[in-house]
Amino acid sequence: MARRDYYAVLGVPKTAGPDEIKKAFRALAHRWHPDKNPGDSEAERRFRELAEAWDVLGDPEKRARYDRMGPLFTPDGKPPRPEELNELFLDALGGLFGRRRPGDRGEDIRYTLSLSLEEAARGAERTVAIQRTVSCRDCAGSGDAAEGRTPCAECHGTGKSATRRFLRNDCPHCAGRGYRAPRKCGRCGGEGRVAQEEQLKVKVPAGVATGQKLKLRGKGNDGPGALGAGPPGDLLVIVDVMDHPFFRRRGNDLLCEVPITYAEAALGAEVAVPTLDGQTNIRVPPGTPSGKAFRLPGRGLPSPDGSGRGDLHARLVVEVPATLDAEARAALEEFARRAGPGAHPRKRAWAESLRERTT
Ligand SMILES: [Zn+2]
Ligand SMILES: [Zn+2]
């Protein structure tokens, strides 16, 4: 059988560097992978061809030999076996299809932590219950039952193949384990990992905001395969600061609307204003306009970098009486009659301007 030109199979020039060859293989293998083309024999043939080309051109030694010998070259005289193809493919693409294999890093876990604004301001220590996927302790992550294991005859228990084929030299007969196991582990059902709920302490620094991520390194899922073969993932705690009945947040500042009566605004008053650490009073001077904001320095949230605190802005909003009894109504009418021309300067200026424009 005449072998194809491997460079043509991958669509790269003979001068292509290793990166270019790898890139070409990845793109084509992605396109022709049997998983993506089920039942398509043409795709299967192309994929085989790609794998064979990659096996040679992806290995500098083999590639040099191929370049010297051309069509006479045979990798080792045998076509690759299906499980080797798959292994080769997974090696080269590294979890492109989301499949994890022994030695990979464990998955990250995301957890949304809801906090009150007070907790966000002060910082908090919270215990959260996390579902982690951890290495099975009965089989140390291998997925194989301990009973009935026999050393692999092919690799004499080493798990290593004498001839390096493709990218790894794991023994293909025992997948690098060094033994044959007739039974799956009873605890994890052969998965090597089990789901487990864990209580974890999360330290929330003062000043956090919604959307901020706190990373607990190594508290994600354990990696698949033998215990410690791959590092565990991380736990990402995503902060969600709940709405507050009084405060809105703007950076490290807090905004608060404080309703006051017409009389308080006109006559002046002591008005109670909420803060994150209890309430405080502010002096509203006589004649304070509606919408006036008072700044309470340092009563906002701490900056996460420790450079001081934001402010609290209390905005006074005059509430117009919703209902009036006869007596209050009479008093207000009396007030309207008595309020001199200087009582409402803005209204007066407005009325004058309106008159000038319309006459
Ligand atoms: Zn073996
Ligand atoms: Zn197990």
Side-chain angles (χ1 to χ4, degrees), residues 193-272:
R193 296 193 294 177
V194 289
Q196 174 175 306
E197 191 178 288
E198 276 181 37
Q199 309 279 325
L200 294 174
K201 269 207 173 73
V202 180
K203 263 187 116 75
V204 182
V208 290
T210 293
Q212 212 166 314
K213 289 192 192 83
L214 310 170
K215 188 189 273 188
L216 274 74
R217 214 169 280 281
K219 295 297 183 186
N221 291 339
D222 282 343
L227 197 58
D234 300 328
L235 170 63
L236 299 171
V237 176
I238 300 150
V239 171
D240 169 47
V241 180
M242 291 182 285
D243 287 342
H244 193 278
F246 297 144
F247 304 116
R248 275 187 307 122
R249 183 171 179 173
R250 193 176 59 197
N252 296 324
D253 286 354
L254 290 175
L255 313 179
C256 172
E257 277 203 351
V258 182
I260 57 169
T261 68
Y262 177 77
E264 284 171 328
L267 305 173
E270 288 269 321
V271 172

Side-chain angles (χ1 to χ4, degrees), residues 152 154-155 159 171 173-174 178:
C152 172
E154 306 290 334
C155 64
C171 169
H173 304 277
C174 61

